[in-house]
Amino acid sequence: MSVLQQVLANKEAEVLSAWIAEQASDRTLQKGGSKSDALKEQSAELLGALREGVQQGNGEDIQAPGWTRTREILTDISAHLIKRGLTPAEVATFVFSLKRPLFQLVQTATAKTPEVLANELWTTNQLLDRLGLFITEVALESREKTISRQQTEMLELSTPVVKLWDGILALPLIGTLDSERTQIVMENLLQEIVRTGAGLAIIDITGVPTVDTLVAQHLLKTVAAARLMGAECIISGIRPQIASTIVHLGVDLGDVSTKATLADAFAVALRKLHLMVARMPHSGTSTE
Amino acid sequence: MTGKGEILPLRASEDVVIVRQRVRALAAQEGLKLVDQTKIVTAASELARNTVIYGRDGTALLEAVEAGGRRGVRLTFEDRGPGIADLQLAMKDGYTTGGGLGLGLSGSKRLCNEFEIESKVGVGTRVTITRWR
Ligand SMILES: Nc1ncnc2c1ncn2[C@@H]1O[C@H](COP(=O)(O)OP(=O)(O)OP(=O)(O)O)[C@@H](O)[C@H]1O
Ligand SMILES: [Mg+2]
């Protein structure tokens, strides 16, 4: 039985209380909630798993089946600490804070045999370094996932139908049109056309970063459906690079009217309703 | 020719969004003009979505390439789906088995400088495109 194994088996309570004290005095881990019961419980669980892992032998390969439980607990702890705003490097200090308490107990247990001491300290150190690296990697991975999910969510379509004038609706599309929600947004527009009896709808795609066949198909379908309900659509916000790309792609917008900007489209819509915008005659004293 | 690649998974429609973002960043970094960035991002969107919809276990490989003093972006879309039996037909404008516009393959070919497609029924499909600066 190795000394580390003995320490973990016989002095578990001692190790735990020393470790928790160590965590509580660490500024980084305080941010991670080292004084909370959640982290204390996870620490106790981890010690139990470590004991099992060391018992089953090979501390050199923490990917081995004997370390499954340890890896699972470390993954949970990593998620917990990342959520509390710790960086992956800070997450690793959780594992490293176990070094001092463990080393001290290993040292006490081998006080009479210095040659064993050096050896035991080395293997204990190696094991904790491996676990520290492992938790860092897990933390990095989960952080990357969070970031890419946030980016994707940010790009999700957020879209109210707005009334610009009596009979003129606008749908300013912002974000990507890949998700199922696009369908809902388009249906919303059609419902508003019915509800308000609007004869003109401007679909503005200034905020849509990429117009590919899927986007084009959504637009064409919406325009066709609106037409069946007696409303005409104008697509606005087609930037030059998008116009050129649509042409190369081979998408035929047919007789759908398009305008470069929402303002242009609004002007067209007003004209169709025989409305005009006029400058107010000067009130007050003349300056001419 | 030198390449430094990034491999991204293509399993769900969110992955298509991420591929577009990464391609846009790479194209900008390689100095492509805005219109060329838009073209390769749009082609990437088409091929990535085909991989997600028709393929299985798809990936996208994004590389910065250089040849004869020219820099560019090369993208490889690979999947282990059912493959395409008749490539000539699939490349035709308007041909679709998925209720699309049938312009993804032919359109992305027009949006790039180089386009290569290989497919084997029951094995999978690989499309490689390059856009030079
Ligand atoms: N990776 C793939 N694996 C298997 N079949 C594919 C793959 N990519 C394309 N295909 C086949 O080729 C056809 C044409 O593809 P293309 O992208 O041109 O049009 P589409 O996807 O049907 O419509 P869209 O215009 O929306 O892209 C598809 O309908 C499909 O049958
Ligand atoms: Mg397609």
Side-chain angles (χ1 to χ4, degrees), chain A residues 57-195:
Chain A
N58 204 350
E60 257 152 46
D61 180 14
I62 58 159
Q63 294 301 330
W67 295 98
T68 308
R69 183 97 191 96
T70 303
R71 291 197 308 271
E72 283 169 3
I73 297 170
L74 284 175
T75 306
D76 284 351
I77 293 173
S78 156
H80 174 86
L81 294 177
I82 286 280
K83 218 184 292 165
R84 287 184 153 253
L86 268 65
T87 66
E90 288 173 336
V91 169
T93 62
F94 173 78
V95 169
F96 296 140
S97 67
L98 180 56
K99 279 192 177 182
R100 200 198 326 235
L102 261 193
F103 285 6
Q104 266 168 7
L105 284 161
V106 167
Q107 197 174 16
T108 318
T110 51
K112 289 179 199 122
T113 47
E115 60 295 349
V116 178
L117 171 65
N119 223 341
E120 284 293 330
L121 280 185
W122 176 244
T123 49
T124 307
N125 188 43
Q126 290 275 83
L127 175 63
L128 287 177
D129 281 351
R130 282 191 197 103
L131 297 174
L133 263 181
F134 173 80
I135 202 171
T136 311
E137 273 165 23
V138 172
L140 269 173
E141 216 172 278
S142 74
R143 196 164 71 148
E144 269 162 25
K145 271 194 202 136
T146 313
I147 291 172
S148 83
R149 199 183 52 236
Q150 282 168 345
Q151 280 174 342
T152 319
E153 280 165 4
M154 256 168 47
L155 286 173
E156 270 280 355
L157 211 50
S158 64
T159 319
V161 177
V162 293
K163 180 176 155 187
L164 292 184
W165 201 262
D166 256 349
I168 307 175
L169 296 178
L171 176 67
L173 294 175
I174 295 166
T176 61
L177 277 71
D178 299 73
S179 75
E180 323 250 300
R181 275 184 55 207
T182 307
Q183 192 79 22
I184 298 169
V185 167
M186 297 303 191
E187 275 160 20
N188 261 348
L189 174 66
L190 299 176
Q191 269 170 18
E192 281 302 289
I193 288 174
V194 173
R195 196 181 65 79

Side-chain angles (χ1 to χ4, degrees), chain A residues 148 151-152 155 176-179 209-214 216-217 220 241-242 244-245 247-252, chain B residues 13-14 16-18 20-21 24 34-35 38-39 41-42 45-46 49 99-101 103-104 106-108 110-111:
Chain A
S148 83
Q151 280 174 342
T152 319
L155 286 173
T176 61
L177 277 71
D178 299 73
S179 75
T210 308
V211 180
D212 59 6
T213 58
L214 183 72
Q217 199 178 19
L220 289 170
Q241 68 273 23
I242 300 279
S244 149
T245 301
V247 170
H248 280 84
L249 205 48
V251 172
D252 182 11
Chain B
S13 67
E14 302 93 81
V16 177
V17 180
I18 291 166
R20 278 202 305 263
Q21 288 174 345
R24 190 180 293 283
L34 181 60
V35 60
T38 308
K39 283 178 181 171
V41 169
T42 308
S45 185
E46 293 302 334
R49 189 170 307 103
L101 295 178
L103 292 170
S106 52
S108 44
R110 285 187 290 267
L111 288 170

Side-chain angles (χ1 to χ4, degrees), chain A residues 18-38:
Chain A
W19 186 22
I20 285 173
E22 182 83 24
Q23 289 179 28
S25 66
D26 185 301
R27 297 269 308 261
T28 305
L29 292 174
Q30 282 168 9
K31 195 166 68 167
S34 58
K35 289 178 180 154
S36 74
D37 288 339

Side-chain angles (χ1 to χ4, degrees), chain A residues 213, chain B residues 45-47 49-51 53-54 95-96 100-105:
Chain A
T213 58
Chain B
S45 185
E46 293 302 334
L47 299 172
R49 189 170 307 103
N50 279 355
T51 305
I53 294 177
Y54 306 110
Y95 176 78
T96 176
L101 295 178
L103 292 170
L105 284 177

